[in-house]
Amino acid sequence: RKWVESFLYFMKKVTLKHGFKPLLIKSPVHTARVKLFLKLFPKARFVYMHRDPYEVLQSASHMADTYYWYCYLHKPTQSQVEEFIYKQYELLYDRYVEDRDHHLSDRNLFELGFSDLNRDPEQALCAIYRKFNLGDEAEMRDKVKRYMESLADFRKNDHAHLDEEDIRKVNARWGASFAQFGYDKIL
């Protein structure tokens, strides 16, 4: 209850700051809150971005190795960190698929591959704009072009290569998501 009150207070502040425009809340943990968000915001629309499970592990492992260490109260073992990554993905994926299948429809859901956004950000955002009738597409295209130009020197993170054990573990534990979103397993 307290979390909901705090979240709503935060959303009101952000809404006020940005002139009552629709908000885009990008946080992977919210993937498990679809049902709650529909209760709080009945007209909410959802953009779910999926990613190749192997890349998810690489990215999550990189984040754990470079960022999580600043957040711990007690230093976990490497196996505890790895288990956290696997469990979090399973929880978020399972909850999302269940809530999507029971509470979302074509009218309020757009699913997008991370690789599609990377390949052509402008086109991916245009598809979302069209889907949800979000307004002036030309204005959005102009803003996206300027933003992409500002990232000219940006370098994506380099991720460690997955070994065969990691690949087999991803296949076993996250196998359902490969078929669900059309990704190929390596082994």
Side-chain angles (χ1 to χ4, degrees):
R1 175 101 178 119
K2 184 68 174 166
W3 182 89
V4 170
E5 289 173 7
S6 298
F7 180 76
L8 288 173
Y9 178 70
F10 176 68
M11 290 295 101
K12 288 174 185 176
K13 287 175 72 171
V14 173
T15 299
L16 183 61
K17 179 178 179 6
H18 292 284
F20 298 93
K21 296 176 184 175
L23 297 179
L24 174 65
I25 310 303
K26 185 222 170 270
S27 179
V29 297
H30 292 324
T31 303
R33 296 186 174 120
V34 168
K35 202 161 111 177
L36 172 64
F37 284 178
L38 284 171
K39 183 178 175 186
L40 297 173
F41 313 107
K43 295 180 182 177
R45 294 163 290 189
F46 297 83
V47 177
Y48 178 79
M49 191 172 311
H50 52 83
R51 189 174 189 181
D52 182 297
Y54 303 122
E55 292 176 12
V56 170
L57 180 61
Q58 289 173 305
S59 178
S61 297
H62 180 269
M63 187 164 110
D65 194 41
T66 58
Y67 171 73
Y68 284 5
W69 299 109
Y70 299 103
C71 302
Y72 297 132
L73 295 176
H74 300 284
K75 186 176 177 181
T77 65
Q78 186 61 30
S79 65
Q80 288 172 321
V81 172
E82 289 172 9
E83 183 59 20
F84 172 80
I85 292 168
Y86 280 102
K87 283 294 226 188
Q88 183 180 50
Y89 182 92
E90 291 160 1
L91 171 75
L92 296 177
Y93 170 80
D94 290 345
R95 179 66 59 87
Y96 169 72
V97 170
E98 181 180 329
D99 285 351
R100 179 198 64 190
D101 294 349
H102 292 98
H103 303 290
L104 297 176
S105 68
D106 187 53
R107 73 174 174 75
N108 62 354
L109 174 65
F110 187 88
E111 292 183 334
L112 173 69
F114 184 75
S115 61
D116 296 327
L117 180 66
N118 265 342
R119 186 175 31 261
D120 192 343
E122 186 179 333
Q123 193 57 36
L125 293 172
C126 282
I128 295 168
Y129 259 65
R130 280 185 225 117
K131 167 76 176 185
F132 293 131
N133 201 15
L134 293 176
D136 187 351
E137 200 174 302
E139 181 182 337
M140 181 275 301
R141 283 180 184 270
D142 186 50
K143 287 180 180 179
V144 169
K145 283 181 186 173
R146 284 196 314 269
Y147 179 70
M148 295 306 293
E149 288 168 2
S150 78
L151 298 177
D153 296 329
F154 176 77
R155 271 191 31 141
K156 291 181 183 176
N157 291 325
D158 291 324
H159 296 131
H161 231 60
L162 298 180
D163 61 26
E164 190 172 320
E165 181 183 338
D166 290 327
I167 292 168
R168 290 189 190 286
K169 199 169 186 179
V170 169
N171 289 349
R173 294 191 62 172
W174 299 350
S177 63
F178 285 91
Q180 183 71 232
F181 298 114
Y183 295 106
D184 295 323
K185 288 184 179 180
I186 295 174
L187 300 174

